Amino acid sequence: MSAATVVRTRFAPSPTGDLHLGGARTALYAWAWARRHGGQFVLRIEDTDLERSTPAAVQAIMDGMHWLDLDWDEGPFFQSKRMVRYRAVIAQMLERGTAYRCWASTEELDQMREQQRAQGHKPRYDGRWRPENAARTGLTPPAGVDPVIRFRNPDEGSVTWDDLVKGPISIANDELDDLIIARGDGTPTYNFCVVVDDLEMQITHVLRGDDHVNNTPRQINILRALGGQEPVYGHLSMILGPDGEKLSKRHGATSVVEYDAQGFLPEAMVNYLARLGWSHGDAEIFDRHELVQWFDAAQISRSPAQLDFDKLRWVNAQWLKRLTPVELAKRLEPHLKKRGWSEAAMTSGPDLPIACALVFERAHTLEELAD
Ligand code: GLU
């Protein structure tokens, strides 16, 4: 990255549910990295899976980001609204020969894989519809079948990138087959849309969960075929439950806004999530300005982070102590209302700030304080 390059990061959630802790941490890191460099943070909604994407989930994600005060500079861009653009890029690739039509049927592909397995090979598409192969073997398009479009993956060499979190990673091209970039009905596939977007949105740093690490070499190849230069990638390790297992509902709230209802402060949540997989010396309690000042994506931990609810409660208690009694009383109001307090009761009853000042030392959350 040259000194003149503006840092542009993005958060690209698929709107299929609430903003989970893992997604929130990814968004926070991407936001902090952009802010650290005076760059831009883009919000992109990856809603190409129309069956699983819902407007409610889009709203839930944005609510979560608002609550954490992660402001974005551009977007939200919706992939579902960019179909014309994706199709245009595919047409261009077909013309240039970096993509081609493939008429192989499902049965044919199954058979191909079975044979490969029987011969002890790793199953992969054999490139039979690459134009030169089809010409050689005399394949002609069957009537009445809509072809898929495949990316022509390079045969030789390997894809290497220096992952910000995981270090150098290299995948041989012969491990990658020709990826489908558009289905028979013309709709573009997930990996393809990501590449077009990262390129056209001029993203310089992609921070995302390490469940995407296998997509990266494919995305880099497509990006190069489009004449783009790859961004810096950083793949974040998972957040695990306190027992070291994959985080799930049974561990407690997985969605960030549930922590709002439970009486956690957004400042504490930002602080806690930032520390979950990253550190700055022995600093435990810091605000977003300090985070932005200190955040170094190259120092994100490689090992999975483990949730620790006692630690989160402790961080929250520290943040309750940082608020003035007046501010504390203001934050407490929704929790009192939940308990049936009317506006009048809150102003005519005991002086809330004074009451808060008397008892806040004992509370870990606003809910406890309200009780
Ligand atoms: N939409 C993907 C997800 O929610 C993220 C893809 C990316 O960041 O590249 O997992």
Side-chain angles (χ1 to χ4, degrees):
M1 192 175 65
S2 75
T5 313
V6 176
V7 167
R8 287 173 61 85
T9 64
R10 76 330 186 252
F11 178 48
S14 304
T16 54
D18 288 340
L19 181 60
H20 283 181
L21 294 175
R25 189 189 57 168
T26 302
L28 175 63
Y29 286 0
W31 171 88
W33 191 238
R35 294 288 170 260
R36 164 98 178 88
H37 294 278
Q40 282 115 32
F41 176 53
V42 176
L43 176 61
R44 180 168 84 220
I45 304 292
E46 304 207 316
D47 58 347
T48 50
D49 185 344
L50 294 176
E51 269 164 34
R52 295 182 59 223
S53 304
T54 65
V58 173
Q59 194 54 51
I61 289 166
M62 295 214 275
D63 289 348
M65 292 183 68
H66 285 311
W67 183 61
L68 295 172
D69 200 10
L70 301 181
D71 56 328
W72 54 92
D73 305 291
E74 290 173 29
F77 297 110
F78 291 83
Q79 288 190 325
S80 59
K81 298 203 175 120
R82 287 176 45 76
M83 291 297 154
V84 174
R85 181 61 200 147
Y86 302 136
R87 283 174 200 254
V89 176
I90 287 172
Q92 214 176 53
M93 291 174 76
L94 282 171
E95 211 168 284
R96 291 189 185 151
T98 52
Y100 62 94
R101 295 183 178 82
C102 165
W103 282 269
S105 66
T106 315
E107 299 77 55
E108 210 180 325
L109 292 171
D110 286 345
Q111 206 181 17
M112 182 192 302
R113 288 193 199 105
E114 228 161 83
Q115 267 170 11
Q116 288 164 333
R117 265 192 219 109
Q119 289 163 2
H121 299 307
K122 207 174 136 187
R124 62 204 293 272
Y125 177 70
D126 62 4
R128 64 181 62 179
W129 281 98
R130 284 186 173 196
E132 69 280 13
N133 294 343
R136 188 166 35 82
T137 54
L139 278 181
T140 50
V145 179
D146 292 323
V148 300
I149 314 285
R150 286 184 188 269
F151 169 62
R152 192 185 177 99
N153 199 77
D155 297 315
E156 316 267 304
S158 53
V159 189
T160 305
W161 77 95
D162 194 5
D163 197 277
L164 256 181
V165 180
K166 296 185 181 291
I169 300 181
S170 190
I171 307 289
N173 270 319
D174 63 15
E175 293 278 318
L176 307 168
D177 52 10
D178 291 351
L179 188 76
I180 296 178
I181 57 173
R183 302 179 187 89
D185 64 4
T187 54
T189 56
Y190 169 72
N191 271 303
F192 177 73
C193 300
V194 171
V195 173
V196 175
D197 288 351
D198 283 340
L199 182 62
E200 298 190 349
M201 295 170 190
Q202 298 178 304
I203 301 303
T204 59
H205 293 77
V206 170
L207 295 179
R208 60 181 170 200
D210 66 2
D211 46 333
H212 289 283
V213 97
N214 292 334
N215 291 332
T216 304
R218 299 172 179 285
Q219 294 184 4
I220 290 177
N221 277 334
I222 300 174
L223 201 76
R224 288 180 183 160
L226 294 176
Q229 215 200 333
E230 58 264 31
V232 174
Y233 292 93
H235 291 89
L236 312 173
S237 299
M238 285 215 261
I239 298 181
L240 304 175
D243 55 0
E245 299 291 324
K246 195 172 179 294
L247 190 61
S248 75
K249 285 260 176 237
R250 106 194 122 76
H251 292 116
T254 51
S255 143
V256 279
V257 290
E258 284 178 61
Y259 288 89
D260 181 15
Q262 289 180 13
F264 289 88
L265 299 169
E267 292 93 335
M269 210 64 204
V270 161
N271 188 160
Y272 180 74
L273 286 176
R275 272 290 283 109
L276 203 56
W278 171 82
S279 57
H280 179 76
D282 51 13
E284 290 292 355
I285 303 299
F286 45 86
D287 65 20
R288 64 182 53 242
H289 304 291
E290 288 162 318
L291 167 63
V292 164
Q293 213 181 326
W294 298 335
F295 188 68
D296 182 355
Q299 278 169 12
I300 297 172
S301 163
R302 283 182 197 200
S303 24
Q306 215 155 317
L307 267 193
D308 177 346
F309 290 110
D310 289 335
K311 173 93 183 274
L312 171 60
R313 284 167 53 77
W314 177 80
V315 171
N316 203 54
Q318 305 311 306
W319 272 98
L320 288 176
K321 293 189 179 114
R322 282 190 163 201
L323 299 183
T324 61
V326 172
E327 182 61 27
L328 201 52
K330 203 176 99 198
R331 307 276 188 112
L332 194 60
E333 280 183 16
H335 298 272
L336 293 176
K337 279 191 186 146
K338 213 162 73 177
R339 285 164 174 74
W341 283 47
S342 64
E343 206 69 55
M346 274 186 275
T347 44
S348 67
D351 185 87
L352 267 188
I354 292 179
C356 281
L358 287 176
V359 293
F360 78 93
E361 293 260 18
R362 274 179 272 155
H364 288 88
T365 66
L366 291 169
E367 279 287 282
E368 286 179 14
L369 197 55
D371 284 340

